[in-house]
């Protein structure tokens, strides 16, 4: 069972000021999660989490994470600009992008961010763009093939397809890139890889760490480059479905520590810092989309029409992603109705749930769409002229603060030429 972090009376009070739909984030949940992550890797003195800004690009969220000791992981010009305005600089910023425009490398270098190169050709591109190579530099590795973990009767626990992914360099290219970067003046090196997304397994990070640690030992021997950090990137998932188990970050941290002791320490590399770039794990469960049932429709199926749509939350339409729904005030009512919960887009995939067992929903009921704190608002768009919603923060003292106002038609029209 999934319990929302907000109650019906709280929402009834909130809608007096902020009409639905809106996103709501839970500061306490975010801070506690950041602290659990930090504790899990406290064995590594250089450990740092670089929050993946793209998951939840809001300055107030970034400032909370900054207070918890996190840096930011940026992949675009505006994410870099937002980080700068929030007071991140230098080694607080990781720049992990791909197909990167020159101006983004320029801003990243100006801020002193650690640049993570996605491709071998970017070595020359960076040298030509900046006129120099920064002393600290990272390269993204893609081992190719298929990445899988933990076979059981139901299939593999984790399976993804790096060989089909556009990201990263081959193993041979890593050696070439390191050699070249060193000749051009780089002094502190890092390696990075992101091999599987939304993993529900305590084995993913340790397995990835083993691959990267082994690769780091080889690279240091082959090229003489000083490897200062290893970036395990994102990919730790959350249980979107109530029956799914949760990852245990303490177990994950311990698994990475074991690999570190077995591979890096004997190679004389016990000074390597571990970095992470988690987005979903840190924010996903601590945000929800609150929406109101405005219509019901009885045709070949039973439909509940809500005031949010796929333009506010794209994951169900784009990936068929499951997001749990709670009808506020009916938390304990029997789920004896079967509904499609829809938005108003002229697209039949605009459904937050299909054939979902829910309590009887009446018009005016408030629905909480769970686990939308990461890659939720951020993936919003404006199809059908829909406007982006507000974002609210439920603060640790129990008060609610507006952290992004809802768009108005004027915002939508602002870029048009009449
Ligand atoms: C998206 C992304 C992340 C965050 O991924 P999550 O699945 O949210 O943990 C981290 N690093 C890079 C380079 C990414 O593109």
């Amino acid at each position: 069972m999934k319990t929302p972090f907000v109650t019906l009376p709280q929402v009834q009070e909130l809608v007096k000021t902020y009409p639905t739909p809106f996103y709501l984030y839970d500061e306490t949940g975010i801070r506690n999660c950041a602290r659990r992550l930090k504790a899990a890797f406290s064995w590594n003195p250089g450990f740092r989490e670089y929050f993946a800004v793209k998951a939840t690009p809001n300055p107030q969220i970034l400032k909370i994470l900054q207070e918890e000791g996190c840096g930011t992981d940026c992949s675009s010009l505006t994410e870099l600009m937002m980080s700068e305005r929030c007071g991140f600089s230098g080694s607080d910023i990781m720049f992990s992008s791909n197909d990167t425009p020159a101006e983004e490398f320029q801003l990243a270098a100006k801020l002193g961010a650690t640049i993570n190169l996605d491709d071998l050709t970017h070595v020359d591109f960076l040298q030509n763009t900046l006129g120099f190579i920064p002393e600290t530099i990272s390269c993204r590795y893609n081992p190719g093939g298929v990445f899988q973990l933990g076979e059981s009767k139901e299939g593999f626990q984790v399976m993804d397809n790096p060989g089909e992914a556009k990201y990263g360099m081959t193993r041979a290219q890593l050696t070439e890139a390191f050699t070249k970067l060193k000749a051009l003046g780089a002094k502190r090196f890092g390696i990075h890889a992101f091999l599987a997304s939304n993993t529900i397994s305590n084995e993913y990070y340790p397995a990835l760490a083993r691959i990267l640690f082994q690769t780091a030992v080889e690279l240091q021997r082959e090229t003489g480059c000083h490897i200062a950090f290893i970036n395990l990137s994102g990919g730790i998932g959350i249980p979107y479905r109530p029956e799914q188990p949760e990852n245990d970050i303490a177990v994950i941290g311990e698994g990475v520590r074991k690999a570190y002791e077995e591979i890096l320490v004997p190679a004389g590399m016990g000074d390597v810092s571990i970095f992470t770039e988690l987005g979903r794990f840190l924010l996903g469960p601590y945000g929800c989309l609150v929406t109101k049932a405005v219509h019901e429709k009885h045709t070949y199926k039973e439909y509940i029409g809500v005031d949010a749509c796929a333009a506010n939350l794209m994951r169900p339409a784009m990936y068929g992603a499951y997001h749990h729904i709670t009808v506020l005030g009916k938390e304990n009512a029997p789920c004896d109705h079967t509904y499609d919960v829809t938005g108003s887009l002229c697209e039949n995939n605009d459904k937050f749930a299909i054939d979902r067992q829910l309590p009887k929903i009446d018009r005016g009921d408030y629905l909480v769409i769970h686990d939308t704190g990461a890659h939720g608002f951020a993936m919003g768009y404006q199809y059908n002229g829909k406007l982006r919603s507000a974002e609210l923060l439920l603060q640790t003292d129990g008060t609610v603060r507006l952290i992004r106002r809802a768009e108005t038609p004027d915002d939508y029209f602002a870029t048009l030429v009449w």
Side-chain angles (χ1 to χ4, degrees), residues 52 54 73 96 140 192 194 197 233-235 277-280 375:
K54 73 164 193 269
D73 165 38
S96 290
R140 183 166 182 167
H192 166 285
F194 192 159
S197 195
S233 187
E277 291 174 345
L278 296 167
R280 193 186 316 266
H375 312 294

Side-chain angles (χ1 to χ4, degrees), residues 18 32 48 58-59 110 126 135 183 189 192 238 253-254 293 322 338 361 372 379 396 413:
Y18 310 109
N32 288 340
R48 190 137 197 224
N58 186 297
K110 188 180 142 229
L126 188 66
E135 287 195 355
F189 291 76
H192 166 285
I238 58 169
E254 179 56 20
Y322 180 95
T338 306
I361 297 175
T372 57
M379 291 176 89
T396 36
F413 291 131

Side-chain angles (χ1 to χ4, degrees), residues 364-390:
D365 279 348
Y366 293 105
L367 277 59
V368 164
I369 304 182
H370 289 254
D371 300 314
T372 57
H375 312 294
F377 181 94
M379 291 176 89
Y381 54 106
Q382 290 180 317
Y383 187 57
N384 263 190
K386 295 292 177 181
L387 303 174
R388 291 186 176 85
S389 77

Side-chain angles (χ1 to χ4, degrees), residues 116-135:
N116 182 35
L117 295 175
D118 181 67
D119 189 50
L120 176 57
T121 61
H122 292 190
V123 176
D124 286 334
F125 188 81
L126 188 66
Q127 170 70 34
N128 293 337
T129 300
L130 303 180
F132 67 94
I133 291 291
E135 287 195 355

Side-chain angles (χ1 to χ4, degrees), residues 272-285:
V272 169
S273 297
I274 301 299
F275 295 162
T276 57
E277 291 174 345
L278 296 167
R280 193 186 316 266
F281 181 75
L282 270 187
L283 253 296

Side-chain angles (χ1 to χ4, degrees), residues 185-199:
K187 293 198 162 57
R188 298 175 72 249
F189 291 76
I191 51 176
H192 166 285
F194 192 159
L195 302 188
S197 195
N198 190 31
T199 59

